[in-house]
Amino acid sequence: IVLDRSAFYAEAGGQIADVGTLTGSGLEFEFMVEDCQRYAGFVLHEGYVSSGTLSLGAEVKVTVDFGRRAPIAMNHTATHVMNHGLREVLGDDCNQKGSLVNDDKFRFDFSFARPPTVEEMAKVEALSREQIQQSLPVFVKECALDDARSINSLRAVFGEAYPDPVRVVSVGADIEKMIADPDNAEWMKYSVEFCGGTHLASTAEAVDFVIVSEGGIAQGVRRITGATGAKAAALHARAKEVGEKASAAQALSGDALKKELTALKQVAEEEELPLSFRNGPFAEVMKALGAKVLAAGKGDAKAAAARVQAEAESLVVAESAPFVAHLLEAEADAKALDLAVAALSKAHSTKPVLVVGVSPKATAVLAVAPKGHAMNAKEWVAAALEPAGGKGGGKPDRGQGSSKDASKGAETLSAAVAFATGVVSGGSASEPQD
Ligand SMILES: [Zn+2]
């Protein structure tokens, strides 16, 4: 539908189109406007007739859905405020590349050679929130292009062709005063842009402001997303809640700590959170919690190694025993086996030593044989691992191997004893008889 004039905002400059209705003055028809596009100087109201019949030249009542436009305006004014904040923090090398504002969020693309630091982004957010809390009036004025261009703080999108006169939007400074005194340093405190979009009358209407994400989208181009109003307030409230949870987790230990850390990681992965919180205090607490879990794990491993060593040292071996073969009671990985074998071969240096260790995921075997002994440690390990279906390797004086079957510790030990018994008695058995 084309009208002689319209209150609908047609999609432009990153701001999505208005929606609403066109109704006959006597309610003889209703047309639902789902989209609005500008074409050849006309505003095209796109949608469908939901009741009645439309006729050429009919008079219509135009109803824009202002409940939806209000949050769009909040997000649009917020991008102007943030664009200003970005320049304050990052300098003149950051330039707007594009934007999108709808009733849920804003998106802002800008050129910048490097990722901004956590501190820089936190500062951009703080400056933007500050301007919103200051209830700055928003000024909108059609100006001669040259007059507008003379204002020192004007931010134009490079390469964009602007009409003359051009529509100027200033957040905080009176446009006429700026044009009268364009070089005044005072104006640098405020956002001044060429823009055809719909805006708030005062920044206070945006209520709150939050940056949710920042990241690179192409070489030298970065994207910020964020929100205003109730959504921003809800995200800040959620950050407070999650922050308190994370702080409380610092008092936990053991499995309770691990569980809470997993839950917090899930929150970070699945939920939108304020960027300054995510990369700031939350990241710090999560790092501390991770370090605590890691330290506890190391403590566990140390304690397990000590248990294995104590077990090996307390093992009673008969003087006459030709070899030592032992299944560790304490859970043991390859590293713990090493300790056990070292302890046993030190105590029984003339005997071949084999130790079987079972951990949740494997059965492992390590064997050593004194130089010149009939026992081949590599073969011994291979024979021991046969029932568990494992493989071994090594040399005659030291062999090791493992099986992914963690249920055959006892069988592994039996096979090791049988093999060793064969070796130590085998020498005499094969001696020629008189
Ligand atoms: Zn704008």
Side-chain angles (χ1 to χ4, degrees):
I1 308 289
V2 177
L3 304 172
D4 63 338
R5 60 209 148 100
S6 178
F8 276 81
Y9 181 80
E11 182 183 337
Q15 181 179 330
I16 59 163
D18 279 336
V19 299
T21 56
L22 306 176
T23 46
S25 46
L27 295 178
E28 59 273 23
F29 62 81
E30 185 182 54
F31 182 86
M32 308 297 289
V33 180
E34 295 179 307
D35 194 7
C36 243
Q37 298 291 328
R38 197 176 290 269
Y39 183 76
F42 295 101
V43 172
L44 310 185
H45 304 80
E46 301 176 23
Y48 61 95
V49 178
S50 57
S51 70
T53 314
L54 262 167
S55 57
L56 189 64
E59 209 165 89
V60 298
K61 187 182 168 204
V62 170
T63 309
V64 172
D65 183 348
F66 272 91
R68 179 168 166 279
R69 192 199 268 180
I72 297 173
M74 285 156 77
N75 286 331
H76 197 155
T77 302
T79 62
H80 284 224
V81 165
M82 190 187 68
N83 189 5
H84 178 262
L86 274 171
R87 185 182 49 174
E88 287 275 293
V89 176
L90 302 180
D92 286 333
D93 290 339
C94 71
N95 283 294
Q96 178 169 359
K97 282 286 177 194
S99 69
L100 177 119
V101 289
N102 59 29
D103 48 341
D104 178 55
K105 62 166 190 289
F106 66 80
R107 200 174 81 190
F108 186 86
D109 298 345
F110 63 106
S111 60
F112 197 56
R114 61 168 174 86
T117 64
V118 172
E119 292 74 22
E120 283 169 337
M121 286 311 298
K123 216 168 163 190
V124 171
E125 188 187 62
L127 281 174
S128 306
R129 279 185 100 183
E130 212 171 88
Q131 288 220 323
I132 280 160
Q133 282 155 3
Q134 280 171 356
S135 305
L136 297 175
V138 180
F139 298 86
V140 179
K141 197 174 164 45
E142 294 260 328
C143 305
L145 188 57
D146 284 343
D147 283 351
R149 278 200 191 280
S150 70
I151 301 170
N152 56 4
S153 64
L154 177 91
R155 294 291 272 173
V157 175
F158 183 78
E160 187 99 2
Y162 292 102
D164 192 5
V166 67
R167 192 167 180 266
V168 178
V169 175
S170 157
V171 183
D174 188 321
I175 296 165
E176 278 175 40
K177 284 184 187 164
M178 286 194 285
I179 286 174
D181 182 15
D183 296 323
N184 193 329
E186 171 75 8
W187 312 140
M188 297 306 286
K189 293 185 198 164
Y190 305 105
S191 152
V192 185
E193 292 188 31
F194 293 150
C195 178
T198 61
H199 283 271
L200 304 174
S202 160
T203 56
E205 293 166 48
V207 184
D208 203 347
F209 174 94
V210 68
I211 290 174
V212 173
S213 71
E214 189 284 328
I217 53 165
Q219 182 75 32
V221 182
R222 312 201 59 85
R223 170 169 292 173
I224 291 173
T225 65
T228 54
K231 188 178 174 182
L235 285 169
H236 280 126
R238 180 65 179 143
K240 192 166 176 273
E241 211 173 81
V242 174
E244 279 163 7
K245 246 178 114 119
S247 296
Q250 288 180 298
L252 300 174
S253 61
D255 284 346
L257 172 63
K258 274 189 206 167
K259 214 175 138 193
E260 194 60 12
L261 184 62
T262 306
L264 287 165
K265 272 184 185 161
Q266 200 175 347
V267 167
E269 278 165 20
E270 293 173 1
E271 287 186 34
E272 278 189 338
L273 290 170
L275 185 71
S276 56
F277 168 71
R278 181 187 288 277
N279 290 344
F282 184 61
E284 264 169 48
V285 177
M286 288 297 277
K287 205 171 142 190
L289 291 176
K292 196 175 172 186
V293 167
L294 204 71
K298 269 183 190 153
D300 288 351
K302 233 175 165 179
R307 277 199 297 276
V308 163
Q309 195 158 7
E311 188 183 332
E313 280 166 1
S314 65
L315 194 70
V316 178
V317 179
E319 191 58 49
S320 60
F323 60 87
V324 180
H326 178 64
L327 168 62
L328 284 165
E329 274 170 44
E331 189 182 305
D333 56 9
K335 217 169 168 184
L337 270 188
D338 211 32
L339 286 172
V341 168
L344 285 169
S345 60
K346 189 179 165 199
H348 314 284
S349 59
T350 59
K351 299 179 171 77
V353 172
L354 177 142
V355 176
V356 182
V358 180
S359 66
K361 284 183 186 160
T363 299
V365 180
L366 177 62
V368 292
K371 280 251 184 279
H373 196 280
M375 178 63 84
N376 181 316
K378 182 186 166 185
E379 287 172 11
W380 196 11
V381 168
L385 280 168
E386 231 179 77
K391 287 227 155 62
K395 290 176 177 167
D397 63 334
R398 186 180 175 91
Q400 67 283 318
S402 67
S403 157
K404 286 198 173 104
D405 187 345
S407 70
K408 297 223 166 53
E411 289 90 332
T412 305
L413 179 67
S414 299
V417 170
F419 182 84
T421 307
V423 170
V424 294
S425 59
S428 54
S430 67
E431 269 175 19
Q433 303 275 314
D434 279 335

